[in-house]
Amino acid sequence: MVEQGSYTLEQAIANLQQTEHLGDRYYAAWWLGKFRVTDPAAIDALLDALNDDLDRSPDGGYPLRRNAARALGKLEDPRIVPALLHCLHCPDYYVREAAAQSLELQGNPVAIPALLTFLAGGVAAAVPTPDKPHLVQPYEAILEALGTLGATVAIPEIQPFLEHPVAKVQLAAARALYQLTEAPEYGDRLIAGLAAPQLPLRRSALIDLGATHYLPAAAAIAQTPAENSLKLIALKGLLENHLTRQAQDTLHLTEESEQVMALMDSLL
Amino acid sequence: MTALNSLIAAIDAAPSAVGLITAVRQLAAARDPEAIPKLIEILGYNNPGAAVAAVEGLVALGPVAVPFLLANLDGYDYGARAWANRALAQIGDPRALENLLAAAQGDFALSVRRAAAKGLGFLDWSALPPADQEAGQKQAFGALQVALGDEEWVVRYGAIAGLQGLAQQQPQWRDPVRQLLGDRLPCEPELAIQARLHWAIQSLNP
């Protein structure tokens, strides 16, 4: 879908290329990703936006670069992965985080060595940034990307992060290790996260389980005290990951698939 | 203070989100129609655990809660509206038909549309005069047909569950529903929704 109301592709590209109205540029970058445009001119404009120096936040960040990096993750072009790899060295934490998440979406294992360098120094180096609400690097996004990209080479580096003091980082490590090893202990670690006393942690565990095919989690997901919308998204992820791993004939529904759908029905 | 009043006071005095859920469960377990206004108020607390308990309490009370739910649908808080539609969907009282028809096709909140779509397939038609049943089911089928093409996957999912429910409860809708679901299959982009379509079609095959 490219048309949305009166806003057009041409307008989005023009808005992204102009430099007078920063808000219009920010919105245009989001819009181009949201509607998954394929026009090379749109990709050109987004790649240019990754180097923008005009849009600066009070803390020195680069808001337009963040949005452009997020948008590019959803698009297809051979220039995207190299540009995102470059963004991993941006001084803005949130640009680095967006780049890692988008590299995960791109699904290209060529990103693995660059992502793996962020785990050098292990848990000891993964400390908070002074006066900021985040760690020195976007560890959650990096661990999740390594898991999705199938970086089995990273397993020894990921394992210590199960003991990181930040609970969400532990969950990200468990999710990646489950994807890389399929060992139930890591899936169970995520299920345990569903019982966390804090709602934001339960939400994280739901999203993490939705990135796996760990079917024993389905009933626990349905019973977690959290929004039904999020539980439905998690179960949909679980179901789709299960279906894509089956034999080519996805028309054949296993008993497990039907159980997941019955749980989804109960949450509507 | 009456027993009901002290249960309500416990909700107002709940010291934490977890304490609130416990207090709401106790009020819901009282099965007292006098608790209905309070249970509906809780749907707007933005606490999913408390809302689940309140919906269960309202559903257990059944049709007596329906006029209150319909009269208090929150036009501003779509979270509360979604929970209320979920309660109406589970009670299945056809007095909610007009509301569910409008909500499934036109509410801006996808959580409301999905709850209403499923509910349209699980109404207790026998509560309507026979002359009104067929017209109501036609309206429900038409609204579910619209919801089956919704831009949000979860609304389409709700529509499939609703259509399957309608066809299983009312055999005269079996063929039109199977036809509609089969026509949707080639244009459905999401894998999970394709699977749900298959499951529904299989369950309706003779």
Side-chain angles (χ1 to χ4, degrees), chain A residues 101-152:
Chain A
Q101 289 166 342
S102 286
L103 285 165
E104 178 183 12
L105 284 175
Q106 289 285 304
N108 188 336
V110 78
I112 290 172
L115 290 164
L116 194 45
T117 61
F118 284 85
L119 301 190
V123 172
V127 295
T129 303
D131 305 320
K132 299 272 183 175
H134 54 69
L135 302 173
V136 289
Q137 295 295 352
Y139 289 98
E140 282 172 62
I142 286 162
L143 292 164
E144 289 169 9
L146 287 167
T148 300
L149 297 178
T152 45

Side-chain angles (χ1 to χ4, degrees), chain B residues 114-139:
Chain B
R114 98 178 168 226
K118 187 193 178 194
L120 283 171
F122 292 86
L123 291 173
D124 179 7
W125 298 103
S126 66
L128 282 182
D132 295 344
Q133 291 182 15
E134 194 191 335
Q137 289 166 13
K138 266 190 186 147
Q139 286 180 297

Side-chain angles (χ1 to χ4, degrees), chain A residues 34-253:
Chain A
K34 165 80 180 166
F35 295 105
R36 299 182 190 259
V37 298
T38 53
D39 191 308
I43 312 242
D44 289 343
L46 285 168
L47 290 169
D48 282 346
L50 289 179
N51 298 311
D52 173 74
D53 280 318
L54 295 173
D55 190 357
R56 302 298 301 270
S57 61
D59 63 352
Y62 296 86
L64 180 63
R65 293 191 194 184
R66 297 172 190 168
N67 254 12
R70 288 184 200 115
L72 284 164
K74 300 175 186 143
L75 307 180
E76 286 177 42
D77 188 288
R79 294 169 295 167
I80 291 174
V81 167
L84 290 172
L85 286 171
H86 187 70
C87 287
L88 287 176
H89 302 289
C90 180
D92 180 351
Y93 170 93
Y94 296 104
V95 173
R96 299 197 299 278
E97 179 180 62
Q101 289 166 342
S102 286
L103 285 165
E104 178 183 12
L105 284 175
Q106 289 285 304
N108 188 336
V110 78
I112 290 172
L115 290 164
L116 194 45
T117 61
F118 284 85
L119 301 190
V123 172
V127 295
T129 303
D131 305 320
K132 299 272 183 175
H134 54 69
L135 302 173
V136 289
Q137 295 295 352
Y139 289 98
E140 282 172 62
I142 286 162
L143 292 164
E144 289 169 9
L146 287 167
T148 300
L149 297 178
T152 45
V153 60
I155 291 172
E157 277 84 2
I158 295 174
Q159 249 152 355
F161 282 85
L162 287 171
E163 310 305 327
H164 191 278
V166 175
K168 282 190 181 182
V169 175
Q170 295 174 18
L171 289 174
R175 158 181 167 168
L177 289 167
Y178 181 76
Q179 288 171 321
L180 297 172
T181 67
E182 303 192 11
E185 60 185 286
Y186 302 121
D188 291 340
R189 183 81 183 245
L190 294 174
I191 291 180
L194 297 176
Q198 304 92 334
L199 181 56
L201 268 184
R202 297 198 296 274
R203 287 181 181 141
S204 272
L206 284 170
I207 293 166
D208 288 333
L209 282 164
T212 75
H213 60 280
Y214 191 52
L215 291 168
I221 289 172
Q223 284 153 20
T224 301
E227 296 83 349
N228 283 10
S229 305
L230 201 48
K231 294 194 269 186
L232 283 161
I233 290 170
L235 288 171
K236 175 178 183 262
L238 204 62
L239 174 63
E240 292 188 335
N241 291 327
H242 170 66
L243 291 169
T244 40
R245 297 173 64 83
Q246 277 179 255
Q248 283 77 359
D249 180 17
T250 50
L251 306 191
H252 172 73
L253 296 174

